[in-house]
Amino acid sequence: LDMSQYRNLFGTTRVPKRGRDEFVSVPTSRHIVVMRNSHMYCVDVQQSNGLPTDPDQLYSTLTAIASNPSPPPPHPVSILTGTDRDTWADARSELMAADPQNALALEKVESALFIVCLDDRESADTYEVHNYGMNRWFDKYLQLVVNGKAELAISFEHSWIDGRTIIPFMDRIFSYTNRYPYIPPSYATNLLPLEKLEFYLTNSLKDTVEKAQCKAEQKFRVFSCETVQYLGIGKRFVKDKNLSPNSFTQLALQMAYHHQQGVLGPTILPCSTAAFLHGRTEWARPGTMAAKDCIEAFQPSSGTSLAEKRQLVRRAVSHFSQLYREGMMGQGFDRHLYALKSLAEEEGDTPALFRDPAYYKINHFVFYPSTIGSEALSFGVFGPLSSEGFA
């Protein structure tokens, strides 16, 4: 499988530019940035000889930062990473021009190996995704979010990296920390050198930050997250029936949505194309005619026998499994059409196919599910593709 994404797992960020962002990676980086109440601290975690810094000192340094009672700054620059990209691009240029110290602070943040976000809250819920834009730097490709109960969440910037790269990274952290819980809670030692990153804002920048805060409040308040653990059946039961748990779950989601709305839910499910060099994903669509036939057979008035229902379930699940496998091997159509559409738009001439209402309809999705499996995970979450959608 393609391994190229791992090269830029650390020290990488997305820099805002008008019209199109820039991908920046710093392979020589030796530091992390720790965020606490939207204050930012630069901490070296690698020595000049390439060895990691002393774990005892790192523990004490993180403890000292976490214990700092300073309230959030009145105008946190990090909130700008959650606003629209052109606004942030303009603000970043103004920020760098306002004071030389701002440019140095930005360089430290953007070149960091990753960001550690230390939060107070003790519940694992929606806030870990966005925290209303506070105590996050969304441009950073890797953020480790630790809440008040020492539960870890990983937030990653999706434009260049996929879940298939992050999951093994999470598994390695989970396995290592279970085998080597290194620092006892009462341990104390000298702190590592740390640098607090300060930003100096003009009145114009303060106004931009305040507007971004208002937008973040409005945007994130309509985003909600619920977790449900269903213990009735699991993947072992489904596998024992020689069916794919993933495809079976997609059929169940379609059936539930049809029960509520009376129609199939327009859905795409990403499937990895890592079998190809630099492969990312293709889309597979669970809302097939086989799924429709199966769901209609489960309606009370259908008169379908139990044996026929079983057969229809198997047919619908097997059909989508085949589509999913074909997508993984480059046989899908969505990415191909999207690329053609993007190229046509750059030339200023969009073909009639892409202006057809039917094309818009098949690309307006209610469901954007994704299946991830790991013992290290309680759940995973990302944003829906439409205002009325689910993910």
Side-chain angles (χ1 to χ4, degrees):
L1 297 179
D2 176 63
M3 305 289 282
S4 61
Q5 292 184 15
Y6 287 97
R7 185 183 301 114
N8 298 312
L9 185 58
F10 302 112
T12 305
T13 197
R14 176 176 176 169
V15 176
K17 301 288 184 181
R18 268 206 159 263
R20 179 181 296 175
D21 288 354
E22 182 181 351
F23 169 90
V24 175
S25 184
V26 183
T28 57
S29 178
R30 294 178 180 171
H31 68 277
I32 63 172
V33 166
V34 182
M35 296 187 70
R36 172 69 172 168
N37 285 335
S38 294
H39 295 285
M40 310 184 80
Y41 305 86
C42 180
V43 182
D44 283 341
V45 293
Q46 190 178 37
Q47 302 175 56
S48 58
N49 60 8
L51 295 175
T53 53
D54 183 70
D56 304 339
Q57 288 184 288
L58 181 58
Y59 171 81
S60 297
T61 303
L62 292 174
T63 300
I65 294 173
S67 303
N68 191 323
S70 300
H75 297 93
V77 171
S78 58
I79 200 80
L80 295 171
T81 65
T83 194
D84 70 273
R85 304 306 295 173
D86 283 350
T87 296
W88 172 213
D90 292 344
R92 183 179 180 276
S93 297
E94 185 178 349
L95 188 67
M96 295 180 71
D99 192 289
Q101 185 62 35
N102 292 341
L104 293 174
L106 277 172
E107 191 276 331
K108 291 284 188 182
V109 176
E110 293 172 351
S111 65
L113 290 165
F114 52 85
I115 291 180
V116 176
C117 307
L118 301 178
D119 292 349
D120 280 326
R121 293 183 55 160
E122 296 190 354
S123 59
D125 55 21
T126 311
Y127 96 94
E128 289 182 338
V129 180
H130 55 71
N131 200 27
Y132 296 97
M134 298 295 288
N135 211 46
R136 302 287 186 273
W137 192 275
F138 292 118
D139 288 357
K140 201 64 187 172
Y141 279 15
L142 186 62
Q143 297 184 93
L144 307 185
V145 182
V146 184
N147 69 8
K149 291 175 65 178
E151 294 171 321
L152 171 68
I154 291 185
S155 173
F156 65 95
E157 208 288 314
H158 207 348
S159 65
W160 78 278
I161 195 171
D162 300 311
R164 66 175 177 84
T165 304
I166 293 294
I167 296 300
F169 171 68
M170 294 183 66
D171 288 341
R172 181 64 63 89
I173 293 175
F174 183 72
S175 174
Y176 191 87
T177 52
N178 278 331
R179 282 185 293 158
Y180 306 105
Y182 189 83
I183 305 296
S186 60
Y187 203 94
T189 186
N190 295 330
L191 303 184
L192 292 168
L194 73 155
E195 174 189 0
K196 185 174 182 182
L197 304 179
E198 302 281 6
F199 293 96
Y200 301 93
L201 276 62
T202 62
N203 289 334
S204 171
L205 283 168
K206 290 178 182 178
D207 182 60
T208 302
V209 169
E210 289 171 3
K211 289 177 179 177
Q213 284 178 305
C214 290
K215 287 182 179 179
E217 283 283 331
Q218 295 169 1
K219 177 169 59 178
F220 292 130
R221 286 202 181 282
V222 300
F223 177 81
S224 62
C225 176
E226 300 290 339
T227 59
V228 176
Q229 185 178 19
Y230 181 69
L231 302 177
I233 60 173
K235 67 178 181 180
R236 184 172 299 173
F237 172 86
V238 180
K239 284 186 173 181
D240 286 345
K241 308 301 179 185
N242 293 318
L243 295 171
S244 161
N246 180 23
S247 300
F248 184 85
T249 301
Q250 301 310 317
L251 178 62
L253 289 173
Q254 290 294 325
M255 196 169 289
Y257 188 80
H258 189 279
H259 180 71
Q260 286 190 331
Q261 305 295 332
V263 294
L264 294 183
T267 308
I268 52 164
L269 181 70
C271 52
S272 173
T273 54
F276 300 92
L277 182 63
H278 298 159
R280 295 295 304 270
T281 61
E282 178 55 272
W283 286 348
R285 296 172 178 257
T288 63
M289 290 303 296
K292 179 177 179 293
D293 292 342
C294 176
I295 291 168
E296 289 177 347
F298 275 79
Q299 300 308 305
S301 60
S302 73
T304 309
S305 69
L306 181 59
E308 289 174 316
K309 289 177 181 177
R310 285 175 175 165
Q311 200 171 40
L312 287 166
V313 167
R314 183 170 296 280
R315 176 170 167 261
V317 171
S318 299
H319 180 58
F320 179 65
S321 295
Q322 178 63 28
L323 292 177
Y324 193 84
R325 287 191 296 269
E326 289 173 357
M328 293 176 67
M329 298 312 298
Q331 299 301 308
F333 67 87
D334 278 287
R335 297 304 197 214
H336 180 70
L337 290 179
Y338 178 75
L340 292 176
K341 180 175 181 288
S342 298
L343 290 170
E345 288 174 346
E346 288 182 4
E347 296 293 328
D349 181 22
T350 304
L353 167 66
F354 301 120
R355 290 184 273 112
D356 193 291
Y359 186 79
Y360 169 81
K361 190 171 184 178
I362 67 169
N363 287 285
H364 184 77
F365 303 108
V366 173
F367 280 121
Y368 186 34
S370 183
T371 304
I372 49 177
S374 169
E375 292 183 3
L377 280 174
S378 297
F379 62 91
V381 62
F382 49 90
L385 296 182
S386 60
S387 58
E388 72 276 22
F390 304 89

